[in-house]
Amino acid sequence: MTRTPVPAGRWRSVRSRGAVAAATVVLAAIVPGADVALGDQRTSAELGYTCAFPAGPHPVKVQVAARFPARAATGAAILPAEVTTSVTLPDAAVAELTKLRAATTGATTRLTTEVAQNGAAARALWLGTAPSVPLTSPGGAVFRSTGDVPTITANSPGDLTVTAAGLTLEFRPVTTEGGATDPATLSVPCTPAPGAKALLATVPIGAASSSPPPSPTPGTSATGPAAPGASHSTPESAPRIAPPKAQAAPAATAPKCQGDTANPLALAAYTTGYSNVTKMGGASLIPVFCAKVVQGPNQLKRIEVRPGVFELHLLQNSVGRLDYRGRAQTPPGPATFLTFGFMPTTATMTLEAKEPLSIESDLNNTAGHGETYIRASLVLRISDVRVNGTPLDVGPNCRTTGPVYSTDPDPARNTKDHMVLLGELKKGADTVWRGYSLSRGGPLDGSVTIPPFTGCGVGEDLSPLFTASVSGPANTVKQNQGAPCASGIEDDPAQLCTADKQPTTIPTPLR
């Protein structure tokens, strides 16, 4: 039985599209007024929230600080500056993260603010990111997030107030081994404590001294989509909200990895790791590379739902390709080994794909485990060789005679022309799933044989030299896939995609 494919982004816990629209009100372009704020006011509010962690609610202390103008004119852009959101988790909440085997975690804060004036209101989403902190010390954990926030423009005179509303915490836990936990992200919704004073700032708005306030772009509402709980008396009276600058692209250490936005089943993910080459006596780093995947249809082998019972067994076959500057390969990376058994040699190694990736996932909720087999046909190419610091010209075609290969667990496919990586997913006694899945990322393991080399050398055949130094069996491979960007769907509540649909998760290599 074949089911309609389900985008991986939908497998994670997500909010409805309407909630996202309500959280960020995108309106007409802002034209700054002639009058600007005279002086600033620094504000700091201590707030109490109740946050719904998986095992139950926990009280969380939140402090929001920012700098606002002391006054502003109608039509002038108001940009809250130096915004920080500090979140203090109690020990009980930290324990829920350590149950996932987390040693450290970073966090993203998503604070919904209500901007009100003269009985009309709009909502703006304040996003912030906090660096990773250890989860071992007593006394809880404190996250200090910072980030750009939307610009506010008032359309009429009168006091403008900014009040904190709902808060969502997005955690990115990391294990002691440096890998992602399972799940790779944890989204925790928080609500203000009853009776809490959530006012962040009050900015008096005066009449503009020059040009009148800008009018909305023709055909565009001055208020945008209405937010739950927000009222709008007239389009002209509601404050206008403009989003901050687009999220930055991934760090320069990761290559461009822009996903397909037209296919709802498309994923883009970064992966890195090490290959322990037996003859080299050490590990070679596989640089962060980009893989683009199209998920296949789900094949339902078994499903049973009745009171107290939920049994599910799914199969999924997907395809993917490596992408480095438009070529199906990994970025070139450095390697060190010994030639003649004693001469230190450095080289640049590149893995070039000869066929698309084959990704077969088997998720058995009833048995509490899942397996994903990734088959890749990759040829190893060597360039820029130096022996004891002296360049050695190997020419442009120094490569293995065929793809590196593994013993395939399926005898019918054991053709010695592809490598096999296995990612395992297991449900613990605490019912938490840990390990690898395509939609979450995680560790992948394999063992490969490196074939002999060919085409090495200019004027003399150096291929036997590299065959003796590198080729052979029992070379272990351990890769770590980051959480993918579901580039084909618009919603991204866990912030796994940049604005141009590249992955935000850049994994660290695992040994």
Side-chain angles (χ1 to χ4, degrees):
M1 179 178 181
T2 301
R3 290 293 179 95
T4 302
V6 179
R10 299 300 188 193
W11 295 353
R12 296 182 287 268
S13 175
V14 299
R15 303 285 186 272
S16 68
R17 182 170 300 177
V20 174
T24 307
V25 184
V26 181
L27 302 172
I30 302 300
V31 179
D35 280 354
V36 297
L38 301 176
D40 293 331
Q41 55 171 320
R42 295 183 181 273
T43 64
S44 180
E46 294 187 2
L47 312 173
Y49 280 83
T50 300
C51 298
F53 282 81
H58 295 293
V60 171
K61 295 180 180 179
V62 177
Q63 184 176 39
V64 181
R67 178 166 55 85
F68 289 82
R71 302 182 64 85
T74 301
I78 301 171
L79 177 61
E82 301 172 12
V83 176
T84 60
T85 302
S86 299
V87 178
T88 303
L89 299 185
D91 287 335
V94 173
E96 297 217 28
L97 296 171
T98 57
K99 284 180 182 177
L100 303 177
R101 296 180 59 246
T104 63
T105 184
T108 298
T109 58
R110 302 168 60 88
L111 177 65
T112 300
T113 62
E114 182 173 88
V115 183
Q117 185 189 38
N118 300 328
R123 289 193 173 187
L125 184 63
W126 288 14
L127 294 176
T129 56
S132 292
V133 300
L135 300 175
T136 54
S137 58
V142 179
F143 302 88
R144 184 178 182 272
S145 76
T146 59
D148 296 329
V149 301
T151 299
I152 307 166
T153 301
N155 290 325
S156 58
D159 285 352
L160 181 144
T161 60
V162 181
T163 306
L167 172 69
T168 299
L169 306 176
E170 304 279 354
F171 296 101
R172 306 178 298 278
V174 176
T175 65
T176 53
E177 297 81 12
T181 60
D182 196 358
T185 60
L186 180 65
S187 178
V188 179
C190 306
T191 55
K197 295 182 179 179
L199 180 66
L200 301 180
T202 299
V203 181
I205 306 297
S209 60
S210 55
S211 59
S215 300
T217 302
T220 304
S221 167
T223 60
S231 62
H232 303 283
S233 55
T234 65
E236 290 74 24
S237 64
R240 295 183 296 136
I241 311 298
K245 295 179 180 179
Q247 188 175 5
T253 54
K256 184 178 181 180
C257 192
Q258 191 168 6
D260 183 356
T261 58
N263 190 334
L265 301 177
L267 303 175
Y270 286 123
T271 304
T272 186
Y274 283 101
S275 174
N276 291 294
V277 181
T278 302
K279 288 185 176 179
M280 290 167 56
S284 289
L285 175 67
I286 301 173
V288 175
F289 63 89
C290 168
K292 298 180 180 181
V293 176
V294 176
Q295 301 167 92
N298 293 322
Q299 295 179 326
L300 187 61
K301 291 194 68 175
R302 172 181 170 80
I303 184 169
E304 182 177 353
V305 181
R306 50 189 171 85
V309 175
F310 176 64
E311 297 186 356
L312 178 67
H313 191 178
L314 285 174
L315 302 178
Q316 185 187 56
N317 295 331
S318 305
V319 295
R321 68 180 297 269
L322 305 184
D323 188 348
Y324 176 66
R325 298 180 178 177
R327 299 188 294 271
Q329 65 174 62
T330 63
T336 301
F337 52 96
L338 298 177
T339 51
F340 307 107
F342 65 92
M343 295 291 287
T345 302
T346 61
T348 297
M349 289 189 175
T350 305
L351 292 170
E352 300 176 343
K354 297 304 177 185
E355 296 179 1
L357 306 177
S358 169
I359 306 167
E360 298 181 358
S361 301
D362 184 335
L363 175 62
N364 192 328
N365 179 72
T366 306
H369 71 81
E371 295 178 339
T372 299
Y373 285 98
I374 299 179
R375 293 174 170 86
S377 180
L378 305 174
V379 169
L380 175 60
R381 182 180 292 273
I382 290 181
S383 60
D384 191 24
V385 178
R386 292 176 178 267
V387 179
N388 204 22
T390 302
L392 179 64
D393 191 356
V394 298
N397 297 310
C398 184
R399 65 195 186 282
T400 52
T401 56
V404 298
Y405 62 89
S406 308
T407 300
D408 199 301
D410 181 356
R413 304 172 72 174
N414 191 25
T415 51
K416 296 185 178 181
D417 60 359
H418 60 271
M419 66 182 293
V420 181
L421 295 175
L422 171 63
E424 295 185 281
L425 185 67
K426 295 182 180 179
K427 183 166 65 175
D430 55 0
T431 72
V432 175
W433 290 86
R434 298 182 176 92
Y436 175 86
S437 69
L438 177 61
S439 62
R440 296 177 177 179
L444 293 156
D445 295 277
S447 178
V448 302
T449 294
I450 301 176
F453 280 79
T454 184
C456 304
V458 176
E460 63 176 318
D461 186 8
L462 300 176
S463 300
L465 174 65
F466 295 104
T467 297
S469 303
V470 179
S471 300
N475 304 289
T476 60
V477 178
K478 191 174 188 68
Q479 296 189 1
N480 185 24
Q481 178 200 308
C485 164
S487 59
I489 59 176
E490 182 178 349
D491 294 346
D492 182 29
Q495 292 187 289
L496 298 178
C497 302
T498 63
D500 60 348
K501 296 300 183 180
Q502 297 189 63
T504 57
T505 304
I506 302 176
T508 55
L510 305 177
R511 290 184 183 268

